[in-house]
Amino acid sequence: MDHLIPSHNDLWFLPLGGTGEIGMNMNLYGHDGQWLMVDCGVSFNEPLKPDSQTTYELVCADPSFISKQRHRLAGIVITHAHEDHLGALPFLWKRFKVPVYATPFTAEILRRKLAQVGLLSQVDIRELPMDSRFQVGSFSLQWITLTHSIPEHSALMIETRAGNVFHTGDWKIDHTPVIGERFTPATLSTLRQRNVSAMVCDSTNALRAGHSISEEACYDALLNVIKNETGRVVVGCFSSNIARLVSIARVAKETGRYVAFIGRSLQNMVSAARVTGYWPEGLPVMESSHLGYLPPEEVIAVATGSQGEPRAMLSRLANDTCFDLTLDKGDLVLFSAMTIPGNEMAIGRLVEAFKAKGIRTLQAQDTDQPIHVSGHPCQDELMAMYDWVRPQLALPTHGEPEHMLANAEIAKSAHVPRQLTGLNGDLFTIAPEIGVRKNAIKAKRIAIDR
Ligand SMILES: [Zn+2]
Ligand SMILES: [Zn+2]
């Protein structure tokens, strides 16, 4: 591995996790004898090897390539607070012991996670304003805020003396995102003047034609469905989607109901949204322990476990073991979340358990209304981004091979001169010459022991 030391003429991209798969992102950029890590995330319930039957609750990319030479690691930059981008950091940080850079909301979530593992006082978190410029070793960086399904997703402009990279992280074009800044193309279209050598880009929805749906349309859909209900309504969703939580609270207000968030992870997220200013003033939330005292038509509860996780709140509601709430015949459980591939069986079991009790369920596929919307760009959005940024090279990431190939095709039709796809462990050279060294290091997964 010692032969992999970037010179001052080199600009390299080396994904350790998240390229060839969706999840456990861990990216390295190399220049001038140094490495910059972008994101440090986990995947859930995965095997360590593709052919193994044994799955682990939490896995992440094996960081040993960089932890063995941590004197060359200039810092860790976190683009946003999703688990697949930051979830491994509390467990791996001791192997790196370098400063971590994040915007205020992401830093708040990170602090809460570090506190849980007793590391809060040790980690040097450099909290920086959105869209700010900063220097990490020989990398000149600038956050560029993009809309996604969590506040403050910050793409990165990475500038070096050898070349420049625009690292998109996860994004979509949302002109009405419910909370946070709207998507504005103005900053992006100035990037083309900054000679972007490579754009490293989200491929999650590259197989989907058209444009993603706005978070505001999801609010409308939730309102349409819930306003006709006469029993209790439970909404299953991911705790980190603050805009969705705000939408549900607004629907509650609009329909004469009280909203409560059941479970620690949701309450923690709402609390983080409050301290960082993302929870709208005057939007009421009720204690979940009061839910049981309300007439059914006044209840909206939000719960996690939309993937059928057996210990999460939706499963407990299905089994009647939730402390705060009991559901009856005629109540509605709405899934405002996508099905992560691999979870179909568990979700199916959960839906059946509700149905057996006469509790109705509504999943995204049961309705034309967008009760869930994706946070990732479809084909028209990718086209627009390539046209704004006009990189010399497209490097699709954050996808399985078919998603990355589709993203590369879009780049080609957007007249990006070169496209390269590969897998974790491949070394992509951006400067002085464009190329890829397949399997430059052996990419592996490790299990995280909590
Ligand atoms: Zn992601
Ligand atoms: Zn994300």
Side-chain angles (χ1 to χ4, degrees), residues 25 80 82 84-85 148 170 376 398:
N25 297 282
H80 65 292
H82 274 153
D84 61 322
H85 295 260
H148 183 38
D170 303 2
H376 300 274
H398 206 287

Side-chain angles (χ1 to χ4, degrees), residues 181-251:
E181 293 291 312
R182 289 157 184 259
F183 187 90
T184 41
T187 330
L188 292 166
S189 51
T190 64
L191 292 184
R192 67 173 69 143
Q193 286 137 33
R194 286 162 77 175
N195 282 327
V196 178
S197 327
M199 178 167 131
V200 175
C201 181
D202 183 354
S203 308
T204 314
N205 283 342
L207 291 166
R208 290 199 202 167
H211 198 294
S212 66
I213 300 171
S214 169
E215 200 59 47
E216 179 88 14
C218 185
Y219 163 81
D220 293 337
L222 292 169
L223 179 62
N224 276 335
V225 170
I226 293 169
K227 72 179 181 202
N228 299 320
E229 288 298 311
T230 53
R232 298 178 189 86
V233 175
V234 174
V235 184
C237 70
F238 291 110
S239 58
S240 61
N241 193 332
I242 306 295
R244 193 72 49 84
L245 306 185
V246 167
S247 287
I248 298 164
R250 284 185 177 151
V251 168

Side-chain angles (χ1 to χ4, degrees), residues 139-160:
F139 302 89
S140 301
L141 306 178
Q142 184 185 4
W143 299 126
I144 292 170
T145 314
L146 298 179
T147 42
H148 183 38
S149 45
I150 193 167
E152 294 185 9
H153 167 60
S154 299
L156 270 179
M157 186 69 191
I158 303 169
E159 289 169 309
T160 71

